Amino acid sequence: MTFTATAEAMTPTTIPTTAAPGGGTGEAPALGGLPDVPCPRELSTSDARELTRVFFDRLQSLEEGTREYQYVRNTLIEMNISLVQFAARPFRDRPGGPENEDIVQVGVIGLIKAIDRYDPERNTQLSTLALPYITGEIKRHFRDTTWAVRVPRRLQELRLELAKATEELTAETDRAPTPAELAERLDLTEEEVRQGLVAANGYSSQSLDVPQDSAAGGPQTSTAARSLAETMGDIDPALEAVEDRHALAPLLADLDERSTQILELRFGQEMTQAEIGEEIGLSQMQVSRLLTRTLGSLREELLHS
């Protein structure tokens, strides 16, 4: 469908109708003279601009909430969807870019807000008001939904500033900037810069099952790379004995020399009772009794300490 350059030459609409007496239909009087726009989204930019002015002029004379008002407002939204597509282009490299229907829907919210606040008497284009609204809604969507870990808004915005400053300083010095240099460039303290760098790590996350070479962006090798989970440390079972050993130390210090020697040979050098008996000149039975008595005494003291 093609429109002439001026609104006056456009064909009056016959689509919006209201119930007529006797059950028939007729053209809504409040919409008389408006052009017929069967496919608002398919309009060219110039036609959409001309029709937007015409529909806004009529919208000012309609009562909010009426059927006619909703028709004109909805048509304005449909005619200017291209502004949403245009505003979404800079976000194409982000996860869930403009090809994602969610981003379009978020941008439409910004477009609706702009249409509801637009004043034709200011003699400005709708795009001048709409683009900041649309971009703001899209940025808010990314801020609220794309972070893997939720951080304060102040740190989310600082991440962008740090990224820009890092890029500029890297280009100037041909090396990665230090926190002190970033702080000087952004007029912040080094502590604030460190907080922002730490918070930036929460923007995205990776699975523990991703091979290390893939996660680090390194070259792929023929052998299967280990996942990050396979390189992470496990709980050291010896840690459970730390507290027991700490409590046992003063009790061992109070033992007599023979009992201490038997414990050392049995648990330190892992000798058998017979070998211990030969070492200290006792029978295996005597060693067994001494060992049992010593361990029982230590156990009882530990339980009551």
Side-chain angles (χ1 to χ4, degrees):
M1 180 176 183
T2 303
F3 293 92
T4 57
T6 60
E8 290 78 2
M10 297 174 184
T11 306
T13 181
T14 57
I15 294 180
T17 58
T18 57
T25 61
E27 181 181 343
L31 298 178
L34 281 180
D36 183 5
V37 190
C39 300
R41 294 194 180 207
E42 298 179 5
L43 294 176
S44 65
T45 302
S46 58
D47 287 337
R49 188 179 299 114
E50 287 292 335
L51 283 171
T52 293
R53 285 198 293 265
V54 173
F55 274 70
F56 263 120
D57 288 341
R58 183 58 56 86
L59 189 68
Q60 304 304 307
S61 63
L62 298 174
E63 181 179 355
E64 186 173 351
T66 61
R67 179 187 177 192
E68 292 79 8
Y69 181 94
Q70 292 300 325
Y71 166 76
V72 175
R73 180 172 176 268
N74 292 342
T75 304
L76 282 168
I77 295 170
E78 293 286 334
M79 287 192 298
N80 290 280
I81 288 294
S82 60
L83 293 175
V84 177
Q85 301 291 349
F86 176 81
R89 289 176 188 172
F91 301 92
R92 61 182 179 274
D93 295 329
R94 297 193 184 185
E99 65 277 2
N100 189 323
E101 186 64 23
D102 289 342
I103 302 303
V104 176
Q105 295 298 327
V106 168
V108 170
I109 294 175
L111 174 62
I112 293 173
K113 290 181 178 180
I115 287 175
D116 290 341
R117 292 165 174 77
Y118 180 68
D119 184 1
E121 296 181 0
R122 292 181 178 271
N123 294 322
T124 58
Q125 295 291 338
L126 173 64
S127 58
T128 304
L129 177 67
L131 288 176
Y133 273 94
I134 297 170
T135 303
E137 289 294 329
I138 295 176
K139 288 182 176 180
R140 187 177 296 109
H141 169 78
F142 279 108
R143 186 190 70 215
D144 295 340
T145 64
T146 59
W147 280 72
V149 178
R150 181 69 182 216
V151 301
R153 180 177 179 179
R154 171 181 61 84
L155 295 179
Q156 292 181 0
E157 295 174 347
L158 180 57
R159 169 184 169 273
L160 299 177
E161 296 177 8
L162 287 171
K164 182 179 179 181
T166 299
E167 183 178 352
E168 295 174 351
L169 289 171
T170 300
E172 295 173 5
T173 62
D174 199 26
R175 60 175 176 80
T178 65
E181 292 171 334
L182 289 170
E184 182 179 359
R185 174 60 63 93
L186 297 175
D187 194 21
L188 299 171
T189 65
E190 289 190 42
E191 180 61 26
E192 289 174 324
V193 170
R194 290 191 178 93
Q195 288 181 357
L197 293 174
V198 172
N201 294 328
Y203 181 74
S204 61
S205 61
Q206 290 181 331
S207 171
L208 293 178
D209 295 327
V210 174
Q212 282 187 288
D213 288 346
S214 299
Q220 297 292 333
T221 59
S222 56
T223 59
R226 292 185 300 171
S227 68
L228 183 59
E230 294 174 320
T231 64
M232 296 180 66
D234 200 356
I235 298 176
D236 188 349
L239 290 176
E240 300 178 0
V242 171
E243 186 176 350
D244 292 338
R245 290 178 180 178
H246 183 74
L248 187 61
L251 301 181
L252 292 175
D254 293 338
L255 294 176
D256 59 75
E257 183 178 352
R258 187 174 62 175
S259 297
T260 301
Q261 184 182 12
I262 292 175
L263 290 177
E264 170 62 25
L265 294 174
R266 179 67 183 91
F267 298 103
Q269 300 182 28
E270 299 183 350
M271 295 173 63
T272 65
Q273 293 179 359
E275 291 172 338
I276 295 173
E278 293 178 3
E279 178 74 18
I280 64 177
L282 297 175
S283 67
Q284 186 269 338
M285 183 63 68
Q286 289 175 312
V287 171
S288 176
R289 289 174 180 173
L290 288 171
L291 189 59
T292 300
R293 185 170 64 245
T294 301
L295 292 176
S297 176
L298 291 173
R299 185 179 296 108
E300 184 177 354
E301 292 186 53
L302 278 175
L303 293 174
H304 290 83
S305 61

